[in-house]
Amino acid sequence: MRCLTACLLLAALAWSARAELDPKALFEAPVALGDASGQPLISGKAQGCPYAADFNADGKVDLVLGAKDGMETASGGLWLIPNRGTNEKPAFAWSDAWRVKLPEGDLGVSCGCKSSGQVQPVAVDLNGDGYLDIAYSDTYRRAYLLLNDGKDREHPTFTQQKFFDMEKTNHGMYAGGGDWNGDGVLDFLHMTFAGAQFKVFKGAPVEGGKGVKFAEGGLPAAEVLKITGEKARKCAWAWDYSGTAKQRGVVEYVGVFRPEGGREEIAFFEVKDGVSRKLATLAQTAGQTPLLTASDLNADGRMDILFSCGLWRAETEHTKVWVMYGKGE
């Protein structure tokens, strides 16, 4: 009996050790994306927010970048950057970037004041027709849906429609995504100023296709998550990064966090019983105002963290696009 008790105690201690998650073990160190020759991808655009998706359907994951044209303007746009390498060794060059167009010409995004205006995208097939569409927030007035016209894989044209109006039109409102309800389907996350509230537009599969449809009906259609504690202030992306979140009864997410008296960082959070707590700082960025998404750049089934930073001075190096590859635990 004593032996059985000792074995059970050892097993419990071993389980307790495994249950203590080490978020830093889930991701590789940040690396800057570049072209086939190793030259880094430098957009020169301010406050870039990259997302990984195969927009041209060639089997290689590409980039969608939302950004401002510069820090001295409140206008921006979206750019599609094809992958000229492979999923295992992607290659991106700014010379290949294609600015998203509407039938009347280049998409121009009015994204508020100089300091807080941003363009945050989520790329997904919204109607199941096999062509990639885009949902994005201008972080100032409203969120939009861009529907691919399906005429040109490499250089598509989109039609734009309103997704929803924001509560305020003079403050930064941020976007995120991921799987917030554990059903394995991408959701759209609307974050009010400085992450005060997380509002989820639930994603659902489009019947008869491979697309995802977000809940319609404006802000009343969003579920307000009742979360307290240490929270991301923008760019919150929830997935089961560890592979154990669901069985542990928690929600794992990454996002941009600003510690008291410090500068913004990329952090890992866990939500349990409605309380969010920061578990780890994943990266301190060289540039200011990092923006991020969590998507699968190398198509290995694990979510990666993509980010870029601000451009407050002349250092275009800060507009590199970086990735932290997910590696599991």
Side-chain angles (χ1 to χ4, degrees), residues 46-50 65-68 116-121 139 174-175 234-235 237 256 264 266 285 288-293 305-310 322:
Q47 298 185 188
C49 187
L65 181 76
K68 293 170 61 178
S116 67
Q118 297 160 16
V119 185
Q120 296 182 21
T139 69
Y174 305 117
K234 57 187 176 184
C235 301
W237 281 79
V256 175
E264 289 184 323
I266 295 173
T285 60
Q288 298 182 53
T289 64
L291 298 175
L292 67 86
T293 63
I305 302 173
L306 286 90
F307 66 92
S308 188
C309 293
W322 300 78

Side-chain angles (χ1 to χ4, degrees), residues 44-284:
K45 303 297 178 184
Q47 298 185 188
C49 187
Y51 187 82
D54 181 9
F55 70 80
N56 55 14
D58 65 355
K60 296 181 294 185
V61 183
D62 310 303
L63 290 178
V64 179
L65 181 76
K68 293 170 61 178
D69 291 309
M71 280 311 303
E72 293 307 311
T73 179
S75 64
L78 290 156
W79 287 263
L80 306 179
I81 312 171
N83 181 358
R84 301 304 189 197
T86 64
N87 285 329
E88 294 75 18
K89 293 183 177 180
F92 301 102
W94 187 249
S95 58
D96 290 329
W98 168 262
R99 186 163 185 158
V100 165
K101 299 186 185 304
L102 305 179
E104 58 270 25
D106 289 348
L107 170 69
V109 181
S110 177
C111 47
C113 63
K114 295 178 182 179
S115 59
S116 67
Q118 297 160 16
V119 185
Q120 296 182 21
V122 179
V124 65
D125 185 354
L126 292 167
N127 51 18
D129 65 356
Y131 289 85
L132 203 68
D133 310 303
I134 300 171
Y136 77 91
S137 167
D138 65 9
T139 69
Y140 188 64
R141 297 180 302 167
R142 60 182 62 96
Y144 295 91
L145 303 177
L146 294 172
L147 301 179
N148 195 322
D149 66 5
K151 295 179 181 178
D152 188 334
R153 289 283 188 186
E154 288 289 332
H155 301 131
T157 300
F158 297 82
T159 57
Q160 180 167 260
Q161 64 186 53
K162 183 178 73 174
F163 186 4
F164 60 86
D165 286 311
M166 296 179 185
E167 302 95 330
K168 297 182 180 180
T169 57
N170 61 345
H171 288 77
M173 306 288 179
Y174 305 117
D179 179 14
W180 287 90
N181 55 11
D183 65 357
V185 181
L186 177 71
D187 305 310
F188 186 93
L189 181 71
H190 170 59
M191 304 172 70
T192 57
F193 184 64
Q197 285 186 312
F198 290 17
K199 300 185 176 185
V200 175
F201 289 82
K202 182 180 177 181
V206 176
E207 187 176 355
K210 298 180 179 179
V212 174
K213 181 180 180 181
F214 298 128
E216 300 175 341
L219 283 172
E223 176 189 358
V224 180
L225 301 183
K226 296 180 180 179
I227 299 177
T228 62
E230 289 182 306
K231 299 187 293 183
R233 68 188 307 269
K234 57 187 176 184
C235 301
W237 281 79
W239 295 105
D240 189 348
Y241 297 98
S242 67
T244 65
K246 196 167 185 178
Q247 70 187 58
R248 290 185 293 117
V250 302
V251 175
E252 297 171 349
Y253 74 94
V254 297
V256 175
F257 179 73
R258 177 179 287 163
E260 187 174 351
R263 60 185 299 176
E264 289 184 323
E265 61 186 33
I266 295 173
F268 188 98
F269 301 83
E270 183 178 89
V271 181
K272 185 173 181 62
D273 299 327
V275 179
S276 173
R277 65 186 181 113
K278 175 190 162 190
L279 297 187
T281 297
L282 298 177
Q284 298 278 4

Side-chain angles (χ1 to χ4, degrees), residues 31-44 63 81 90-96 308 316-323:
V31 293
L33 296 177
D35 62 17
S37 69
Q39 291 298 310
L41 170 64
I42 298 177
S43 71
L63 290 178
I81 312 171
F92 301 102
W94 187 249
S95 58
D96 290 329
S308 188
T316 56
E317 289 278 305
H318 291 172
T319 68
K320 287 179 181 177
V321 177
W322 300 78
V323 62

Side-chain angles (χ1 to χ4, degrees), residues 18-38:
R18 286 199 303 271
E20 190 60 36
L21 181 68
D22 178 11
K24 293 184 178 180
L26 301 177
F27 303 96
E28 303 283 356
V31 293
L33 296 177
D35 62 17
S37 69

